[in-house]
Amino acid sequence: GAEAAALGNSIIPTVSDPTALYWNPAGLAHAGGVVTGEHLFLYDGARYDFLGLSVPSPIGTFGLGALQLDRGNIVARNAIDDPGAKVSNNQSDYLLGFARRLGEHFSAGGTANILNFNLAGHRDMSFGFDLGGQARYPGDDLWALKQTLWSFGAVLKNLMPPSIKLLDEKDTFPRELRGGLSLSF
């Protein structure tokens, strides 16, 4: 998302909108009822799309989202003198998440992912699961910084790692532990 790009992808402790489905599902607990979407044109005709929704309920916040990276008109060649054929690459991720506040300062959440890959007609689909947590502590004024808010966050991406097999070999996404600390004022 735009906020994540502006922060150099260091959004794990502060995310609080439907993009939390991707970055840190615990952030859904602070999202409220929001619909968000993005459409980005990337280099040479590629595009990225995201659509997300968060819905608060008495038991927690549910999230639903979809993201897609699409690149068409790729020239695939078997040899240098081969005129090639046009192929495309399409990667989609469908996300379903839930987050809940745990007391005054903590929240936890999870996201189930359905990944769908298509590269030059070779297709596969897989499932994954992410788990995240956040903590937010309002602080005292710190010198000239007024109304400080300390935020901590961590996410375990691919707790249940998805595996994709497009041709001969199966590729399994690695587990990743990401974390961060933020001071807002």
Side-chain angles (χ1 to χ4, degrees):
E3 182 181 12
L7 292 171
N9 293 340
S10 60
I11 196 164
I12 301 299
T14 61
V15 65
S16 60
D17 62 28
T19 63
L21 289 162
Y22 176 80
W23 290 108
N24 184 352
L28 281 174
H30 305 282
V34 177
V35 175
T36 187
E38 293 183 19
H39 177 74
L40 302 172
F41 293 104
L42 304 174
Y43 177 74
D44 202 23
R47 66 176 171 73
Y48 168 84
D49 296 299
F50 175 79
L51 183 61
L53 165 72
S54 59
V55 179
S57 77
I59 62 170
T61 303
F62 293 90
L64 184 64
L67 62 90
Q68 182 182 59
L69 179 62
D70 184 73
R71 172 70 167 90
N73 295 321
I74 301 169
V75 178
R77 294 182 168 87
N78 290 323
I80 292 174
D81 60 347
D82 182 359
K86 301 250 179 171
V87 298
S88 65
N89 176 25
N90 182 292
Q91 302 171 16
S92 300
D93 188 7
Y94 305 99
L95 310 118
L96 177 63
F98 176 77
R100 181 178 173 89
R101 291 183 188 209
L102 305 171
E104 185 180 348
H105 300 290
F106 296 99
S107 62
T111 299
N113 298 281
I114 300 172
L115 296 137
N116 188 358
F117 279 58
N118 178 357
L119 176 61
H122 301 282
R123 301 170 187 258
D124 199 9
M125 184 171 37
S126 187
F127 302 93
F129 187 77
D130 305 334
L131 189 63
Q134 282 184 339
R136 295 174 178 214
Y137 291 94
D140 295 328
D141 293 348
L142 186 63
W143 299 298
L145 308 178
K146 305 294 181 195
Q147 299 178 355
T148 59
L149 176 66
W150 292 91
S151 301
F152 308 87
V155 63
L156 181 55
K157 298 286 287 178
N158 304 321
L159 176 64
M160 184 178 91
S163 295
I164 298 290
K165 183 178 179 183
L166 295 177
L167 195 56
D168 297 325
E169 296 181 27
K170 185 177 251 185
D171 289 320
T172 300
F173 287 62
R175 287 190 182 99
E176 297 177 24
L177 177 61
R178 300 176 185 174
L181 163 69
S182 169
L183 172 62
S184 303
F185 51 92

